[in-house]
Amino acid sequence: MTEQKQQLEQKLWNIADSLRGNMDGNEFKNYILGFIFYKYLSDKMLQFANEILEPDNLKFSEIDTTTETGNEYLLAIKDEALDTLGYFLAPSELFSELNRRGNAEGKSKFILDDLSKVLTNIEQSTMGSESEDDFGNLFEDLDLTSSKLGKSENAKNELIVNVLSHLNEIDFDINNTESDILGDAYEYLIGMFASGAGKKAGEFYTPQQVSKILAKIVTVGKTQLKSVYDPTCGSGSLLLRVAKEVKEVGSFNGQESNPTTYNLCRMNMIMHNVHYKRFDIYNEDTLENPSPSHIDQSFEAIVANPPFSAKWSANPLFLSDDRFSSYGKLAPKSKADFAFVQHMVHQLDNNGTMACVLPHGVLFRGAAEGHIRKFLIEERNYLDAVIGLPANIFYGTSIPTCILVLKKNRPQSAVKENILFIDASQQFEKVKTQNYLRDADIEQIVNTYVERKTIDKYSYVATLNEVKENDYNLNIPRYVDTFEEEEQVDLAEVSKQLKEVDEQSKNTDATIADFCKQLNIETPF
């Protein structure tokens, strides 16, 4: 980690500390990340406007909005900003300006009302423009009236001014195109709060090491992707991770049912420099109400970490839905795991790859799930690999998980007659209470997937006939034999040791009997 990034993360953690006494981690995360996003938008706006004004030897902060010329400049900059950045901020609405006003004359001045108006204005500046859907309600979780910020208005204001002052000291380094310090720190905060807030936060955060495996698998042999999709995209970390594995991604697509996390995802996209025209994130339940803009598309790469064994309606009407109709069965109401798999298969491009994390139960549960599993293998031949992960690598749950890899072009490929099984459940490092996949563990998983080879006690290439003989049960120990033979016991040696112990015992008894005799007391045996 670079020194600059370390310093940034330390400062962000200090800000968290100043809020910590007032609310729990999951709540103050919304404030810190919201203000980071506001500062990022401000810095970006200021840089963009100054570049436009440079030929006229003007600075954005120097524009006089009381004159006609000044307002003409502002209107021209606003038009360009809405097209290029997707939003607009006036000089008086910039983060640095509000921070200056909040600390004027070395005292904490009241800026809460102004701040509230600015955040509303950012969203309203996009009304009627192409970016309207991407910026709408982005700051709705930043409740500046909450009593958790302080009992009085002045107490709330003092806390907010304090947070803005800390953030103002941080250089987001937006001129450095190679640097992604802000985006990385943003993920650092999400990760820290997810680990500290248990299941509630962990639900929308996939540990980086797991993201890395999924991203590497769906990009094998590719340097660019037309599109990537995550039907349960959470904060967007999985989608963004895929982009790190290739030179270019045409479009980022995702759906998220939780409004707070949906906002977080859109912020995360913008802060990782994904242009608003290149991402399409939708806020609804993916199974019950799939995005109208996604449902007729197919995606080249699909990655997902759906909520484990979630409930869904399993409405019989879904049997006529194109996503589920060919299977003849729906996933049970109490376990939507295979419903997510069916949905993703429907959205997968013919030359695409999908990789998703699921609980182990999907490998062997019977009834409708067994039927769907058999259909995917026997009728479609889409299942490419099953990878078993260590237990306790996700925040908030210790259950062991697996990765299913599916491809639609398998029937035409060289590997059409087999399925790869990898048992990576024993390769990890324990860090505090969590198990952690090291870089070497990740590399071994990905290399084994690419090379598709059988490794003793680690992986096995099973023929479709073998899977059929196992009645389409994919439980990994049926294919990867991890049984360790116990060391042979030398009975003659054990007998000899027992005789020695017996002899020692007799000697000890004799010694104790002698002491008892000298003390004129009875022996204890």
Side-chain angles (χ1 to χ4, degrees):
M1 189 190 292
T2 64
E3 189 182 343
Q4 190 177 16
K5 188 179 169 190
Q6 271 184 321
Q7 287 174 352
L8 176 59
E9 289 180 356
Q10 186 57 53
K11 283 180 180 174
L12 293 176
W13 196 246
N14 290 342
I15 296 167
D17 263 351
S18 68
L19 282 166
R20 195 185 290 275
N22 299 52
M23 57 191 83
D24 72 38
N26 210 38
E27 288 176 309
F28 66 63
K29 164 187 60 59
N30 296 334
Y31 287 92
I32 298 177
L33 297 182
F35 287 134
I36 289 173
F37 186 57
Y38 168 41
K39 177 166 166 52
Y40 173 82
L41 294 180
S42 288
D43 288 2
K44 199 91 172 163
M45 181 70 227
L46 183 61
Q47 182 190 48
F48 179 76
N50 282 341
E51 283 171 3
I52 291 173
L53 293 167
E54 194 174 2
D56 296 342
N57 288 321
L58 277 172
K59 294 279 186 192
F60 191 47
S61 55
E62 295 167 358
I63 290 179
D64 185 355
T65 54
T66 61
T67 66
E68 192 176 332
T69 309
N71 278 318
E72 281 175 6
Y73 270 120
L74 270 194
L75 282 172
I77 291 168
K78 182 175 182 177
D79 284 344
E80 288 208 39
L82 285 174
D83 185 53
T84 306
L85 303 178
Y87 65 94
F88 174 73
L89 280 161
S92 61
E93 297 172 330
L94 295 173
F95 184 99
S96 53
E97 177 58 21
L98 255 76
N99 178 63
R100 185 191 64 75
R101 293 212 297 273
N103 288 290
E105 301 163 19
K107 294 176 185 173
S108 177
K109 299 284 183 178
F110 196 78
I111 58 164
L112 271 190
D113 292 343
D114 288 351
L115 181 57
S116 194
K117 281 176 194 165
V118 169
L119 299 180
T120 303
N121 287 351
I122 293 172
E123 292 176 12
Q124 289 184 344
S125 74
T126 69
M127 300 285 252
S129 74
E130 275 189 76
S131 61
E132 182 178 348
D133 288 343
D134 299 312
F135 282 82
N137 299 318
L138 261 181
F139 294 102
E140 68 180 350
D141 292 306
L142 222 60
D143 182 6
L144 300 180
T145 63
S146 172
S147 59
K148 289 178 181 175
L149 291 172
K151 290 198 168 91
S152 67
E153 290 301 291
N154 284 334
K156 291 174 198 171
N157 187 73
E158 199 167 322
L159 184 65
I160 295 299
V161 167
N162 182 28
V163 172
L164 296 190
S165 297
H166 277 299
L167 279 176
N168 199 55
E169 294 169 9
I170 299 171
D171 177 11
F172 284 175
D173 200 19
I174 57 175
N175 289 318
N176 183 354
T177 53
E178 292 301 308
S179 167
D180 188 21
I181 289 172
L182 182 61
D184 287 341
Y186 200 77
E187 284 187 17
Y188 159 81
L189 274 177
I190 294 169
M192 289 302 289
F193 293 137
S195 61
K199 189 174 190 303
K200 191 172 182 187
E203 276 177 345
F204 67 82
Y205 186 75
T206 306
Q208 290 242 7
Q209 70 264 26
V210 179
S211 299
K212 205 180 282 189
I213 296 169
L214 298 176
K216 285 180 180 295
I217 284 173
V218 299
T219 55
V220 167
K222 295 183 178 180
T223 55
Q224 56 184 46
L225 291 170
K226 283 185 302 181
S227 55
V228 60
Y229 172 66
D230 182 347
T232 55
C233 63
S235 57
S237 63
L238 253 176
L239 289 169
L240 292 163
R241 180 69 237 184
V242 172
K244 290 184 178 180
E245 299 300 328
V246 288
K247 290 177 182 172
E248 188 184 347
V249 174
S251 69
F252 296 80
N253 306 271
Q255 188 159 339
E256 173 55 41
S257 60
N258 181 309
T260 299
T261 317
Y262 160 69
N263 289 339
L264 205 55
C265 182
R266 290 185 294 160
M267 289 182 191
N268 216 357
M269 289 288 146
I270 293 162
M271 291 172 71
H272 277 81
N273 227 14
V274 178
H275 193 276
Y276 72 88
K277 289 178 182 175
R278 285 177 53 224
F279 70 83
D280 178 11
I281 312 297
Y282 191 66
N283 178 211
E284 255 296 358
D285 184 302
T286 306
L287 297 179
E288 309 291 343
N289 297 297
S291 163
S293 64
H294 295 158
I295 200 64
D296 294 325
Q297 286 190 64
S298 56
F299 303 103
E300 191 174 356
I302 298 180
V303 284
N305 172 24
F308 302 149
S309 299
K311 292 179 172 61
W312 75 305
S313 71
N315 189 321
L317 292 173
F318 279 133
L319 283 169
S320 59
D321 185 310
D322 287 347
R323 296 174 294 167
F324 312 107
S325 57
S326 58
Y327 298 82
K329 291 272 178 87
L330 295 174
K333 275 186 181 183
S334 59
K335 294 178 179 66
D337 304 310
F338 265 112
F340 282 112
V341 171
Q342 289 169 305
H343 172 87
M344 286 183 267
V345 167
H346 175 75
Q347 303 278 187
L348 185 64
D349 199 30
N350 286 332
N351 73 334
T353 305
M354 67 172 258
C356 61
V357 182
L358 295 161
H360 263 237
V362 300
L363 303 178
F364 53 80
R365 288 192 298 245
E369 291 179 288
H371 174 87
I372 295 166
R373 196 167 56 240
K374 180 180 177 182
F375 183 89
L376 283 167
I377 301 167
E378 187 179 53
E379 298 294 326
R380 292 285 190 260
N381 193 8
Y382 288 166
L383 184 64
D384 196 48
V386 177
I387 303 165
L389 298 175
N392 205 33
I393 54 172
F394 284 88
Y395 301 120
T397 179
S398 60
I399 65 167
T401 52
C402 64
I403 296 171
L404 292 191
V405 184
L406 292 97
K407 290 181 169 185
K408 281 188 175 172
N409 64 359
R410 269 177 52 85
Q412 292 82 45
S413 71
V415 300
K416 63 183 178 182
E417 294 298 331
N418 60 56
I419 296 170
L420 173 68
F421 289 82
I422 297 174
D423 184 352
S425 61
Q426 301 308 310
Q427 273 70 36
F428 61 87
E429 179 184 5
K430 193 168 182 64
V431 181
K432 295 180 182 173
T433 57
Q434 295 286 134
N435 291 335
Y436 187 83
L437 287 161
R438 298 155 294 197
D439 286 345
D441 302 325
I442 294 167
E443 200 175 319
Q444 188 177 6
I445 290 170
V446 176
N447 286 348
T448 306
Y449 173 74
V450 172
E451 292 165 15
R452 214 170 179 83
K453 60 186 180 184
T454 295
I455 301 170
D456 188 40
K457 300 193 187 322
Y458 185 75
S459 64
Y460 182 72
V461 181
T463 65
L464 292 183
N465 275 337
E466 285 177 89
V467 175
K468 185 178 180 180
E469 283 166 17
N470 274 311
D471 201 21
Y472 300 96
N473 183 320
L474 304 175
N475 207 12
I476 298 169
R478 286 181 177 238
Y479 304 92
V480 182
D481 180 12
T482 56
F483 179 74
E484 295 281 353
E485 278 193 26
E486 288 186 22
E487 198 178 325
Q488 284 196 328
V489 177
D490 184 341
L491 291 176
E493 179 62 26
V494 171
S495 177
K496 183 185 168 189
Q497 288 173 359
L498 285 172
K499 283 177 183 174
E500 287 173 1
V501 169
D502 189 46
E503 194 61 37
Q504 287 170 2
S505 180
K506 284 176 184 174
N507 292 338
T508 304
D509 285 352
T511 305
I512 292 169
D514 186 44
F515 284 142
C516 290
K517 187 179 179 183
Q518 291 176 41
L519 294 167
N520 200 23
I521 59 173
E522 282 187 33
T523 58
F525 41 77

